[in-house]
Amino acid sequence: MLTIDKTMDAAAVVSRLRSGMTLGIGGWGPRRKPMALVREILRSDLTDLTLVSYGGPEVGMLCAAGKVKKLVFAFVSLDEIPLEPWFRKSREAGAIEVLELDEGMFQWGLKAAAYSVPFLPTRVGLGTDLVELGELKTVTSPYGDGEVLVAMPALKLDAALIHVHRADRRGNVQALGPDTYYDEWFAKAADECFVSCEELVDAMEVSYPQDVMANLFERCFVTGVSEAPGGAHPTTMPPSYGWDMGWLKKYAAAAKDPGDWSAVAEWTVGASEADYLASVGGQEGVAALPLPVF
Amino acid sequence: MSITLAELCIVACAEAFRTSREIIATGIGPIPRLGAGLAKLTHSPGLLMTDGEAFLVEQPVPLGATGDERPMPAGYLPFSRFFDSAVWSGRRHAMVTPTQIDRFGQTNLSALGGTHTRPKVQMLGARGFPGNGIYHPNSMFIPAHSTRVFVPGEVDRVSSPGYNPARRIPGGNYTGIDLRRIVTNLCVMDFGGPDHAIRVISLHPGVGVAEVQEATGFELIDAVEGETVLPGEDQLALIARLDPRGIRSRVLKDNPPAEGRLQ
């Protein structure tokens, strides 16, 4: 029988990406971010990217490193550190273009892309600055009510990057934890979706059939699978590990002093993922990070 | 121990959440969150609350609670269905602390000054404010009432909609805009004036209307019916149970007593 094997290392994932692409990044703020893949982008010469993200540290890092042309966002936050300082610096320097959206409009745009329609209507945005600043258009209901709604354009992604707990070689994923945010819709809005995982198994039906309900999206949406234990660090990946707030505080403080990305890229990105992981306590150190309490 | 101004504000926030409906109560920050919890445990049992993450709890999570102190989940409301279930269905009342508020009740959480392409100060981003504002009831808590928050004219960026006729387009449905209360360190206000103009409806002990007006960048309507009600013993006991570590004492500058200005 012919078999499917989608495994590739992070460098192979990044080699499939191109400068100028629109990249969706799963997770939410400092939660469930595909940071190992983001670090690999930071080690590459990719540039001119349009990021679509419920923004966390990956946005600040990619902006600071000069990789970002445009950001589609509703917020960028490190949660306990509400304002992402590297993102702020980029914005206050006028270094990036933005499309600022509401959190709900954002997922609506992903869903429009997933459903292959050019837009989805919503009341969200009415009465705010988002419509004019984002050059969003309105649409009139063709039915008797005649309601005028904002036409939220599809957020079509060239590629999506998502971090999950488990994947098998064929691209069957399992995303554990209390909340997977909009990862499903990033996967479905993208032409290609690359998944990094805490644990790679040969066959999900052999290793974890009891957790099949955690299969957040079907393997037909998965282009590549990359094993990356600790791959969400420094963001939280429940139930496996919590965020590394010490790391995030140091990263945030570095935006002021020394304030220069080249001075912090080495420890925030590392020469290789193995180096990076070792620098934050290895797989065991990451696994020992306590889950945050809300 | 004397009753603190923070505790008085918590009770005022709880009053803002008062409802007979079954809706999600979201209080962002310690005082609004304690207010939502107090409302649920006293006059508004229909309120639903999350544990701050993805689960619905029937007992509010105490501030800073860990391990066994955390109530068991009774329901599930992850972000992945938040807009369907809570926001766009109108089944929610949020109390938030925006950076700026104007006379129309429009708020700003996005950026200050400069231009859209190069703001002077970049803040969080609009978050869920545009959707919250157009779909469900909202209130606000402002720990330091000043003209920097209550700005003259319009807010620098309109993150959430208010009652500004200039920002309405023909055919748009604005019926969901429902601004309820603004609780500050000085007073309680509502939107009960002509065309939803902001009114002062109660003053905290020892505060005068003139002082509130002085700290506000637009004209307020004086509809003061009296002093903001002090918490009762039962309410204080519940507040202490919901905040066993006293996090509420760190919200207002110098943690003043509720009646400190009268002494």
Side-chain angles (χ1 to χ4, degrees), chain B:
Chain B
M1 217 175 81
S2 65
I3 297 167
T4 65
L5 187 60
E7 289 161 344
L8 175 135
C9 287
I10 291 165
V11 171
C13 290
E15 200 51 42
F17 278 110
R18 182 185 285 271
T19 184
S20 57
R21 295 178 65 204
E22 290 185 87
I23 58 173
I24 319 297
T26 305
I28 304 289
I31 301 282
R33 179 170 152 186
L34 289 166
L38 184 61
K40 178 173 168 60
L41 294 178
T42 54
H43 47 68
S44 303
L47 289 174
L48 290 82
M49 292 184 73
T50 74
D51 65 350
E53 202 169 13
F55 298 109
L56 290 166
V57 286
E58 292 297 355
Q59 287 296 320
V61 180
L63 263 56
T66 55
D68 292 347
E69 301 166 341
R70 292 183 76 82
M72 297 304 285
Y76 186 45
L77 181 59
F79 276 96
S80 55
R81 62 192 209 204
F82 206 77
F83 301 103
D84 319 61
S85 299
V87 182
W88 295 7
S89 75
R91 289 180 171 81
R92 186 188 190 216
H93 183 167
M95 182 180 276
V96 296
T97 300
T99 307
Q100 293 182 321
I101 304 169
D102 64 26
R103 66 192 172 98
F104 304 109
Q106 299 176 138
T107 73
N108 177 15
L109 197 66
S110 295
L112 296 174
T115 62
H116 179 54
T117 48
R118 188 173 184 179
K120 185 159 183 289
V121 179
Q122 172 67 44
M123 301 186 297
L124 267 180
R127 286 225 71 151
F129 275 34
N132 296 352
I134 201 80
Y135 275 121
H136 66 61
N138 288 281
S139 293
M140 302 157 211
F141 171 68
I142 302 299
H145 194 134
S146 82
T147 52
R148 289 165 59 93
V149 178
F150 295 99
V151 295
E154 265 194 302
V155 291
D156 290 7
R157 309 282 191 285
V158 181
S159 305
S160 72
Y163 299 110
N164 183 359
R167 288 192 179 261
R168 305 243 162 151
I169 56 168
N173 187 325
Y174 299 89
T175 56
I177 298 180
D178 184 3
L179 300 177
R180 298 283 178 86
R181 294 278 168 91
I182 306 173
V183 177
T184 80
N185 60 320
L186 299 180
C187 66
V188 179
M189 301 184 281
D190 74 4
F191 291 82
D195 301 319
H196 302 280
I198 298 178
R199 316 183 302 175
V200 184
I201 57 170
S202 76
L203 294 162
H204 301 344
V207 177
V209 173
E211 183 186 353
V212 175
Q213 183 61 70
E214 184 68 22
T216 306
F218 48 85
E219 202 174 329
L220 294 169
I221 295 171
D222 179 353
V224 174
E225 290 173 358
E227 275 188 3
T228 312
V229 179
L230 287 168
E233 278 184 28
D234 292 353
Q235 290 169 315
L236 288 170
L238 287 170
I239 292 168
R241 198 180 98 198
L242 293 175
D243 181 22
R245 291 164 180 80
I247 291 167
R248 64 191 178 284
S249 69
R250 295 179 222 153
V251 177
L252 299 178
K253 188 175 184 298
D254 302 329
N255 191 33
E259 299 180 290
R261 289 154 171 272
L262 301 176
Q263 287 157 12

Side-chain angles (χ1 to χ4, degrees), chain A residues 28 31 54 73-78 82-84 87-105 107-108 111 121-130 132-134 138 145-150 177-182 185 236 238 292-294, chain B residues 33 51-55 61-62 64-67 70 76-84 88 106 109-111 115-132 134-135 155-162 167-177:
Chain A
W28 180 283
R31 309 175 191 200
Y54 288 109
F73 78 114
F75 62 83
V76 183
S77 179
L78 305 176
L83 303 176
E84 216 292 356
F87 158 69
R88 291 185 81 179
K89 279 178 76 156
S90 284
R91 281 287 281 146
E92 291 167 12
I96 55 169
E97 297 170 36
V98 293
L99 173 60
E100 183 175 353
L101 299 171
D102 161 271
E103 292 166 0
M105 295 171 95
Q107 56 96 31
W108 209 222
K111 286 176 179 171
T122 177
R123 287 179 192 165
V124 181
L126 291 178
T128 75
D129 271 329
L130 297 190
E132 191 181 324
L133 294 176
T138 58
D145 56 272
E147 183 173 344
V148 176
L149 297 138
V150 174
D179 197 344
T180 52
Y181 306 100
Y182 289 90
W185 299 100
T236 182
V293 173
F294 296 100
Chain B
R33 179 170 152 186
D51 65 350
E53 202 169 13
F55 298 109
V61 180
T66 55
R70 292 183 76 82
Y76 186 45
L77 181 59
F79 276 96
S80 55
R81 62 192 209 204
F82 206 77
F83 301 103
D84 319 61
W88 295 7
Q106 299 176 138
L109 197 66
S110 295
T115 62
H116 179 54
T117 48
R118 188 173 184 179
K120 185 159 183 289
V121 179
Q122 172 67 44
M123 301 186 297
L124 267 180
R127 286 225 71 151
F129 275 34
N132 296 352
I134 201 80
Y135 275 121
V155 291
D156 290 7
R157 309 282 191 285
V158 181
S159 305
S160 72
R167 288 192 179 261
R168 305 243 162 151
I169 56 168
N173 187 325
Y174 299 89
T175 56
I177 298 180

Side-chain angles (χ1 to χ4, degrees), chain A residues 32 162-164 172-176 179-185 187-188 211-218 221, chain B residues 80:
Chain A
R32 304 182 80 104
I162 291 167
H163 189 64
V164 299
N172 291 302
V173 302
Q174 289 189 353
L176 309 177
D179 197 344
T180 52
Y181 306 100
Y182 289 90
D183 284 6
E184 170 187 358
W185 299 100
K188 292 177 179 172
D211 295 328
V212 69
M213 292 295 284
N215 183 215
L216 189 61
F217 43 86
E218 301 76 9
F221 292 102
Chain B
S80 55

